[in-house]
Amino acid sequence: MIDKDLITRVEEAKKNGKRIGLVQGSWDLFHLGHLRYLLKAKEECDYLIVAMDSDEKIRKRKGPSRPIIPEKERYEFIKLLPNIANEVVIKEVDEPKWNLIKNVKPDVLIVIKENYNEEDLEKLKEYCKRIAILKRQSESSTSDKIRKIILSSKGEQVKKINEEIEKAVEELKQRISYNSDMPEPIPGLIEHLKESTDKICPVCACVYYNSEWHYGSNKVDLNLSKYDIENRTELYYALTEHAEMNLLKKLGEVKKLDVPFYTTLFPCDKCMKVLIDKGVKEIYYLEDHENKNWSKRSHELAKKHNIKVEKLIKTKTSVIEESRDMSSYKYIYPPNARTQEQLDIMMRLENEGKDPLSIDYIEQEIIETKKYWYISKNRFPYSGAELQFLIISKYGIYDLNSITPEMWEELKEICIELSKEYNIPGGAINMRFGDPSYSGATLKRLHVHLIKPKEEEKVKFSIGGHKELKKELKLN
Ligand SMILES: [Zn+2]
C-alpha cells in the first residue's frame, strides 16, 4: 500500500543528511491557515512529505458532503505550491492506523495539538525522532466565511437528498407491498437502501459472504454540479457509483463471488459484466427497468452467460400490466365505467386508498347530510334526466344485509322529502346491489339514485355489468 519508490526516495534523502518531516491533513478548501501551517512545517525539516486523505477517507469521517474539493485537485494544488512539498502522498481509507508514519519514520512529525491526545503522542514517539506541535493556524476571515457558506449549503443539499431518499424508499415499499415479515435479505435491502445518496433512483445490493451480509448502495458524486446531478434521467455511470460497485469495493479483494447476488434494481449492463467476471451465477432483484436499453442489454448478457435471474416479488405495476382481476378493487369496478373521465377520477381515489363515495372524498356537491345517508347530485347524470340525486350510505355499507331497519326508514323519508322539495311529480328510485358484474354498478358503496326525467323523455337506468373494461377506456 505504501509506494516503495517513496520509501526509496526518503531513504536516499536521509542518507544525504536531510531531515525528513511529515505533515498530514485533508487540505480541503485550502486556505491561508493551511498555507501558514505548511510553511511552519517546512521550517522544521529539509524534506517535507505532505500526506493527504483520499476522498473516501474524508467521506467516511466527515460524512457524504465532504470533501468539497476532490482529491485530484487537492493533490495538484499542494504539488504546485512552490518549494513546499517534496512528496505528496494520498492516504487511502483501508490503510492501517499510522501506516505512513510507521513506514516513513520521519525525523520530525508535525501535528496540531487538537488532533492527538497525550497517550497517542507518547506512542507516536516510537516512530519518529521528534514531534513538532503547532498551534492551529488562524484562518483568513474571508475564506473562513466562504467555507462556512459552502459547508452549510452542502449540508442543506445532503439533508434534502436524505429526505427524498426516504420518500423514494417508501414508494418502493408501496410498489412491492413490503412488509417486515418478508424473508432476508429483503428487509436488509430496504434498510440499507436509505444509505443511497441518489434520490432519483436509490439502489441497494447485497450478498451473504464470509458468514455475514454485506450491503452496498449507489452514491452520487456530490462534488458534481447540482444541475448535472438533478437533470439525469438515466443512471449514468460517470455520475453515480452503482450499488453493485459500491458493494464490491466494500468486499475488497474477492477472487470468486460464487454466492447469490441480491439487488433492489436489476443491474445495468456494465455492472452485469463485472458481476459475471466476479463469478456471480444467480441474481435476484425486486424491480427492473425493462424498457431501458441498458436493462435489455444486461438481460442478454445474463442469458449468454447462463446467469440465473429472478424477480423476488411481483410488484403492483406488473400486476396491473398483466391485467388485474377486475373484482380485486376495493371501492370501484372499472369494467362498468362509462367514460374515461369518470374512470380516471375513480382510479385516482382507489389508488390513494380512498372510497370515491366517502363523504370525505366525494368530489361533487353535498346537498344534505342525514344520520345514515347523505345526499349529493350526480356529476354524470343519465341522458334524459332533469334531476338525479344520489343518496349514499354514510358509513361505508357495501351489501344489502348491512342495511338496518332504521336506515331503510331514513331512506324512505329522504325520498319523500326530496320529491316534495324539488317538485318531482314522478320518477324512480333505483339501487344496484351485489356483484357489480351483474348489477352494473361502478362504485361499490351502496347508493340510491332518485331520478326525475325531463318531460316526455326516457331515462335508461341500466342493470347488468361487464367483465372486461370497455375497449375505448384505459386504466391510467
Ligand atoms: Zn450498474
Side-chain angles (χ1 to χ4, degrees):
M1 260 186 286
I2 299 281
D3 183 8
K4 276 195 191 122
D5 294 342
L6 168 77
I7 303 299
T8 316
R9 286 194 302 271
V10 170
E11 293 299 330
E12 188 72 25
K14 275 185 188 170
K15 257 188 234 162
N16 293 333
K18 301 235 166 106
R19 288 169 303 154
I20 311 296
L22 172 62
V23 64
Q24 317 189 81
S26 56
W27 318 111
D28 190 19
L29 279 184
F30 200 90
H31 54 75
L32 190 58
H34 285 142
L35 183 60
R36 287 196 184 122
Y37 182 40
L38 284 183
L39 286 169
K40 291 239 168 177
K42 185 72 181 180
E43 279 172 20
E44 300 281 339
C45 62
D46 309 305
Y47 192 94
L48 181 63
I49 303 167
V50 179
M52 196 188 86
D53 293 335
S54 72
D55 286 350
E56 211 184 337
K57 194 170 163 79
I58 296 177
R59 250 200 299 278
K60 199 175 166 192
R61 205 174 63 238
K62 299 187 174 174
S65 64
R66 301 293 299 276
I68 307 293
I69 310 292
E71 70 187 33
K72 257 195 200 157
E73 269 180 56
R74 290 184 284 124
Y75 181 87
E76 282 293 306
F77 192 99
I78 295 191
K79 275 240 140 176
L80 288 170
L81 291 173
N83 302 321
I84 294 200
N86 299 84
E87 303 280 349
V88 184
V89 181
I90 295 180
K91 286 163 65 178
E92 296 297 341
V93 69
D94 45 6
E95 279 180 38
K97 196 179 176 187
W98 300 344
N99 193 36
L100 186 64
I101 301 174
K102 289 177 183 175
N103 276 280
V104 164
K105 299 193 184 69
D107 294 296
V108 54
L109 177 69
I110 299 111
V111 301
I112 290 177
K113 197 169 181 193
E114 287 87 339
N115 293 351
Y116 294 91
N117 60 35
E118 290 296 325
E119 202 182 320
D120 279 347
L121 288 173
E122 208 45 53
K123 277 190 208 153
L124 277 169
K125 281 182 185 159
E126 273 180 51
Y127 310 108
C128 48
K129 284 195 186 134
R130 188 163 67 85
I131 297 178
I133 299 173
L134 300 185
K135 269 195 297 187
R136 188 177 283 284
Q137 305 294 308
S138 68
E139 295 168 2
S140 81
S141 62
T142 317
S143 67
D144 197 25
K145 271 178 204 152
I146 294 171
R147 273 165 69 86
K148 279 186 182 137
I149 291 166
I150 295 176
L151 286 183
S152 73
S153 85
K154 281 267 173 180
E156 239 351 86
Q157 201 185 334
V158 169
K159 203 178 125 203
K160 252 177 106 181
I161 287 174
N162 287 343
E163 281 166 14
E164 302 244 10
I165 298 277
E166 207 134 304
K167 212 175 103 200
V169 172
E170 282 313 309
E171 283 165 8
L172 169 70
K173 282 183 175 174
Q174 293 277 319
R175 287 198 299 276
I176 64 168
S177 303
Y178 175 77
N179 70 71
S180 52
D181 294 336
M182 285 178 171
E184 284 298 348
I186 298 171
L189 279 173
I190 297 287
E191 195 48 43
H192 287 80
L193 189 56
K194 291 175 190 152
E195 287 159 17
S196 164
T197 56
D198 185 359
K199 63 176 185 180
I200 290 183
C201 185
V203 180
C204 182
C206 74
V207 288
Y208 191 75
Y209 183 75
N210 269 352
S211 44
E212 60 176 315
W213 286 104
H214 299 265
Y215 299 88
S217 56
N218 56 347
K219 308 276 182 190
V220 166
D221 185 346
L222 294 176
N223 289 307
L224 293 163
S225 87
K226 221 171 155 183
Y227 180 86
D228 282 343
I229 295 175
E230 293 189 351
N231 290 280
R232 292 165 305 149
T233 49
E234 287 239 18
L235 308 153
Y236 294 124
Y237 224 61
L239 304 182
T240 315
E241 177 180 71
H242 286 196
E244 295 86 341
M245 296 301 113
N246 185 254
L247 172 58
L248 290 174
K249 218 161 94 182
K250 283 184 177 172
L251 288 174
E253 266 306 302
V254 176
K255 285 212 176 64
K256 205 144 184 61
L257 193 63
D258 193 6
V259 290
F261 192 92
Y262 298 89
T263 173
T264 56
L265 182 68
F266 192 75
C268 74
D269 51 337
K270 290 198 178 88
C271 290
M272 183 60 82
K273 272 186 202 148
V274 178
L275 294 179
I276 292 169
D277 283 347
K278 278 279 168 197
V280 171
K281 296 269 187 325
E282 294 168 46
I283 296 171
Y284 299 90
Y285 59 100
L286 290 175
E287 294 188 297
D288 190 0
H289 289 176
E290 56 263 275
N291 54 340
K292 298 271 189 197
N293 286 331
W294 55 258
S295 171
K296 289 176 191 160
R297 288 193 299 267
S298 183
H299 274 283
E300 274 166 30
L301 274 170
K303 209 171 159 189
K304 197 172 136 198
H305 291 266
N306 274 323
I307 310 293
K308 178 183 173 189
V309 299
E310 199 177 305
K311 199 166 194 173
L312 280 170
I313 308 165
K314 288 218 163 189
T315 55
K316 267 187 193 163
T317 38
S318 69
V319 174
I320 288 173
E321 278 159 15
E322 286 162 22
S323 126
R324 172 170 175 172
D325 173 10
M326 285 297 165
S327 60
S328 70
Y329 292 89
K330 191 164 177 192
Y331 304 116
I332 67 175
Y333 185 73
N336 292 343
R338 287 175 285 150
T339 65
Q340 189 66 47
E341 188 192 358
Q342 181 197 24
L343 180 61
D344 287 345
I345 296 168
M346 290 179 356
M347 282 295 288
R348 172 167 50 80
L349 289 164
E350 169 86 25
N351 286 335
E352 290 169 7
K354 296 170 179 169
D355 184 343
L357 284 186
S358 152
I359 194 163
D360 296 323
Y361 305 124
I362 192 157
E363 292 183 353
Q364 55 203 32
E365 188 194 349
I366 294 170
I367 294 170
E368 211 183 339
T369 306
K370 299 281 191 182
K371 194 169 174 190
Y372 303 107
W373 306 87
Y374 74 96
I375 305 154
S376 166
K377 264 193 186 157
N378 200 337
R379 178 148 58 161
F380 304 100
Y382 298 141
S383 74
E386 187 184 309
L387 286 171
Q388 183 168 0
F389 296 99
L390 285 181
I391 307 161
I392 303 160
S393 82
K394 240 168 93 181
Y395 303 104
I397 281 177
Y398 299 89
D399 66 284
L400 279 180
N401 273 334
S402 309
I403 304 182
T404 61
E406 291 83 4
M407 287 183 75
W408 282 119
E409 187 59 33
E410 193 185 82
L411 184 60
K412 184 185 91 183
E413 284 163 17
I414 290 170
C415 292
I416 294 169
E417 271 175 36
L418 281 176
S419 51
K420 271 189 194 156
E421 204 176 319
Y422 288 85
N423 266 326
I424 302 175
I429 301 163
N430 309 288
M431 176 166 63
R432 299 183 178 95
F433 67 92
D435 183 344
S437 69
Y438 283 87
S439 76
T442 40
L443 294 165
K444 294 187 174 178
R445 182 185 288 230
L446 282 189
H447 58 282
V448 172
H449 297 254
L450 191 153
I451 301 169
K452 175 196 177 191
K454 291 176 186 160
E455 252 185 295
E456 299 214 34
E457 279 200 41
K458 291 256 183 226
V459 177
K460 282 187 185 156
F461 183 92
S462 70
I463 306 165
H466 305 274
K467 299 251 189 238
E468 302 286 337
L469 205 61
K470 269 194 183 172
K471 274 210 178 70
E472 65 269 27
L473 301 187
K474 261 180 72 185
L475 289 177
N476 288 322

